[in-house]
Amino acid sequence: QPQIVLLKEGTDTSQGRPQLVSNINACQMIVDAVRTTLGPRGMDKLIVNAQGKATISNDGATIMKLLEIIHPAAKTLVDIAKSQDAEVGDGTTSVVLLAGEFLKQVKPFVEEGVHARIIIKAIRKSLQLCMDKINEMAVRIEKQSKEEQRTLLEKCAATAMSSKLIHQQKDFFARIVVDAVLSLDELLPLNMIGIKKVTGGSLEESQLVSGVAFKKTFSYAGFEMAPKSYAPCKIALLNIELELKAERDNAEVRVDNVREYQKIVDAEWQILYNKLAKIVESGANVVLSKLAIGDVATQYFADRDIFCAGRVPEEDLKRTMKACGGAVMTTANDIKADVLGLCETFKEVQVGGERFNLFQGCPNAKTSTLILRGGAEQFLEETERSLHDAIMIVRRTIKHDSVVAGGGAIEMELSRLLRDYSRTIAGKEQLLIAAIAKGLEIIPRQLCDNAGFDATNILNKLRQKHSLGGQWYGVDITKEDISDNFEQCVWEPSIIKINALTAAAEAACMILSVDETIKSPKAGEAPMAGGMGRGMGRPM
Ligand code: ADP
Ligand code: MG
C-alpha cells in the first residue's frame, strides 16, 4: 500500500483539542509573567536583554515587547498589548490578564469536548452585553466649566499613574501632564509634547516649558561669545553642513604649482563664507542645523551676534519648525526672511548639569516640553513611559469625555450582569457565560493579590454590594476594603475598558479558533531546489 505523506517530517502535528489546550497553556505562562504588575501595588519587572541593557518597567506593553516570545499563539497576547498601547496608551496589563483569564475559564469546557465555535459564540455574546452596559453606565462629564474638566482630567491622569513608580508624585505630575495636553491645539498631536530627561535632582524639580526645549548641542570655540537670549527671535532652520569642507574630497583636482593650490583653498573658504553671508543676510538671529556647524561658522555667527547650534536632533528641529513656522532649508541660496521661524523669546538656561535651549511664545502650533529630573537613567525612562500613559489617557478623556470607576468596580459590575443574564438562558451557553463572568473578576482579584489582601474575602464583599445595586464598588487599596470608587475618584476613561475588553475577547476567540499549527522549516534549512549552480550560472 502506498504511503501518503501530507506534511513534511518534523512538523508539529498535534491537532484539535490537544493543540487548543497547549495554546491556552502557553498563554497562561505569558499572563503569569505580567500578572504581578497590575495595579497601584503592582511590582515592577527588571528585564535584561541580550546586550545587557536593563529596563525597569510596570507597563504591560513594554514588558511584553521585551519578553521575546516565540510561541505563535502566545504572540497574539503581545499584539493585543501593543495595540492597546497604541490605541489608548493604558490598560495594557489588564488586556493581557483578561484575555488569559477568559481562556483559563473556558479551558475545562475545551477539555470536555465543547466545540470551540460554541465557546466563541458565548464570548462574543458576553462582549456585546458588556459593551452595552459600559456605554449605559459611563458617566459623561459636561464640558461647560473649564475647572470641572480640569479636575476630571487630573483625576484620570492620577489613576493612570497610581500604579507606577512615580505614584507618590502623581498629583504633581497629573497637573503637569494636564497642563501639557491642554496647551496643545484641538487635534492634540502627541508629538508636540517633547519629553527630555536630565539625570540628577529630584522628581519635583521636573518642569513643563511651554514651547520647544532641547539640550544644548555640541559646540565649538566661539560659542561662549554668542548671545544667549533674544526677543523676538528669528530662527533659520537648516539641513546644511556649515563646516570648512575639503571640496577636493569630492573631486579630483590636478595642480602643478602652489599658486593654483592656493586658489583652491581660497575657493573652499569662499564657498563657506558665501553660505554664511546668505544666512546672515536673511536676518536670522538663531541658526539651527541638523548637521554640524564648525568652528569657523560658530565664530562668524558669534561676531555678528547670532546664536547657532549644530547637530540638533531631527525631532527637535521638526518640532521647532511646526511650532515657529518656517521651513528646513537644504541649501543656503534661498534663505529669505519668509522661510525663517518666529518666536517671542529664546533663552539658554541651566537645568541641573545640562544647558537647555528654550524657544517660547511660538505662534504657529502649541507645543510644550517636559523636562524630567530624577536619579538613575532607568528610573527616568520608566517615568517617561508612565507619563506617556498619563498623557494618552488625558488625550483620550478629552476626546471621549466619559469615565467609569476603576479598581475593579466596572469589571465586578459587568461580571454581575453576565451572571444574572446566564441564569435566564439554558444550555451550554449558560455555563460558558458564567465562566466569562468569573473571568472578569480577575482584575479586582489580582489587585487584591498584588496588594497582599485576602482576595476571596474582598471579592465576596464586592459581589454582595454589586448584587444590591452598588455599581461603583471596587477595591480600596488604601483601606484594605471595598469602597465606592466613583466617589473615591479612581476614574478611568471608559474607552480604556471598552478597548481592553474588545481586544481581550477577540484574542481569546482567535486562539480558540486555531486547532493546528503548521510550522514550515526555517528558511535556510530547506535544501535548495535541485542542482542549482553557483552564482553567475557556473556549475558547482
Ligand atoms: P494597566 O497596564 O492595565 O493600566 P496598571 O498597573 O496601570 O495596569 O493597573 C491598572 C489597574 O489599577 C486598573 O484596573 C485601575 O482601575 C487600578 N487602579 C488604579 N489606581 C487605583 C486606586 N487608587 N485604587 C484601586 N485601583 C486602582
Ligand atoms: Mg495603567
Side-chain angles (χ1 to χ4, degrees), residues 170-369:
K170 67 176 185 223
D171 295 325
F172 172 76
F173 280 114
R175 242 172 291 130
I176 287 194
V177 164
V178 172
D179 278 336
V181 177
L182 288 182
S183 72
L184 300 178
D185 58 11
E186 256 156 54
L187 285 173
L188 307 174
L190 184 63
N191 58 359
M192 294 307 275
I193 301 180
I195 299 187
K196 304 282 155 191
K197 292 163 285 189
V198 185
T199 43
S202 72
L203 273 179
E204 278 89 357
E205 282 168 50
S206 303
Q207 52 173 305
L208 182 74
V209 179
S210 60
V212 186
F214 50 85
K215 264 179 211 172
K216 180 180 95 70
T217 53
F218 177 81
S219 50
Y220 284 99
F223 174 79
E224 291 312 320
M225 288 166 57
K228 301 287 169 4
S229 72
Y230 294 100
C233 160
K234 289 186 193 162
I235 312 157
L237 304 159
L238 309 175
N239 190 358
I240 310 174
E241 203 164 357
L242 294 176
E243 237 173 339
L244 195 56
K245 262 193 83 180
E247 300 294 333
R248 56 185 176 276
D249 283 355
N250 303 328
E252 187 177 308
V253 188
R254 295 212 176 137
V255 289
D256 48 17
N257 59 47
V258 173
R259 224 173 328 116
E260 290 283 303
Y261 181 73
Q262 183 61 44
K263 265 195 206 159
I264 292 170
V265 174
D266 288 348
E268 282 169 354
W269 281 82
Q270 205 51 51
I271 290 174
L272 178 63
Y273 276 125
N274 283 349
K275 281 189 202 166
L276 295 178
K278 290 220 171 86
I279 295 168
V280 173
E281 247 169 58
S282 71
N285 49 15
V286 171
V287 180
L288 303 179
S289 176
K290 209 180 106 186
L291 300 175
I293 295 185
D295 46 357
V296 180
T298 308
Q299 190 70 47
Y300 186 94
F301 286 137
D303 290 343
R304 286 160 186 76
D305 275 355
I306 294 175
F307 172 88
C308 70
R311 296 213 173 96
V312 177
E314 184 164 12
E315 50 163 29
D316 291 327
L317 202 67
K318 280 216 177 112
R319 210 149 59 85
T320 318
M321 180 178 87
K322 281 212 192 106
C324 306
V328 176
M329 303 303 287
T330 45
T331 105
N333 289 328
D334 316 316
I335 300 184
K336 311 256 157 50
D338 55 346
V339 299
L340 299 181
L342 297 174
C343 75
E344 275 160 32
T345 59
F346 164 77
K347 267 193 308 226
E348 197 185 287
V349 296
Q350 184 85 22
V351 180
E354 309 268 2
R355 291 191 76 78
F356 266 80
N357 298 329
L358 303 187
F359 296 87
Q360 284 170 303
C362 308
N364 268 20
K366 318 236 167 67
T367 177
S368 50
T369 311

Side-chain angles (χ1 to χ4, degrees), residues 376-534:
E377 189 76 29
Q378 281 128 353
F379 183 69
L380 279 179
E381 274 170 18
E382 174 67 359
T383 308
E384 179 180 353
R385 278 191 291 271
S386 312
L387 289 180
H388 170 261
D389 280 15
I391 289 172
M392 290 293 282
I393 286 307
V394 174
R395 288 174 64 218
R396 283 291 150 197
T397 321
I398 294 178
K399 282 187 185 160
H400 314 252
D401 49 349
S402 71
V403 292
V404 293
I410 181 81
E411 285 87 359
M412 280 314 282
E413 183 61 18
L414 294 176
S415 172
R416 182 200 60 78
L417 170 87
L418 290 184
R419 203 173 297 115
D420 287 355
Y421 173 80
S422 76
R423 294 208 180 101
T424 65
I425 52 172
K428 288 175 217 155
E429 216 180 0
Q430 177 184 14
L431 297 174
L432 287 167
I433 291 186
I436 303 293
K438 184 131 192 283
L440 281 167
E441 289 181 352
I442 185 67
I443 300 287
R445 180 179 295 277
Q446 197 63 47
L447 285 173
C448 292
D449 279 348
N450 289 352
F453 302 164
D454 180 351
T456 318
N457 186 10
I458 290 187
L459 254 70
N460 275 337
K461 282 193 201 166
L462 281 176
R463 284 195 205 108
Q464 190 226 4
K465 267 284 180 224
H466 279 262
S467 69
L468 295 178
Q471 57 171 359
W472 293 132
Y473 271 82
V475 182
D476 187 329
I477 286 295
T478 43
K479 291 209 294 276
E480 188 172 349
D481 200 2
I482 61 171
S483 65
D484 187 326
N485 275 354
F486 206 83
E487 271 168 28
Q488 294 281 321
C489 298
V490 182
W491 295 356
E492 290 185 285
S494 53
I495 184 89
I496 300 190
K497 297 295 171 195
I498 290 180
N499 227 53
L501 279 170
T502 317
E506 284 304 322
C509 290
M510 207 169 99
I511 289 167
L512 286 172
S513 62
V514 172
D515 74 340
E516 186 165 358
T517 314
I518 300 168
K519 253 191 239 160
S520 67
K522 273 202 193 105
E525 278 172 22
M528 278 240 255
M532 266 219 290
R534 281 194 285 147

Side-chain angles (χ1 to χ4, degrees), residues 90-91 160 163-164 389:
D90 194 19
S163 54
K164 309 291 180 195
D389 280 15

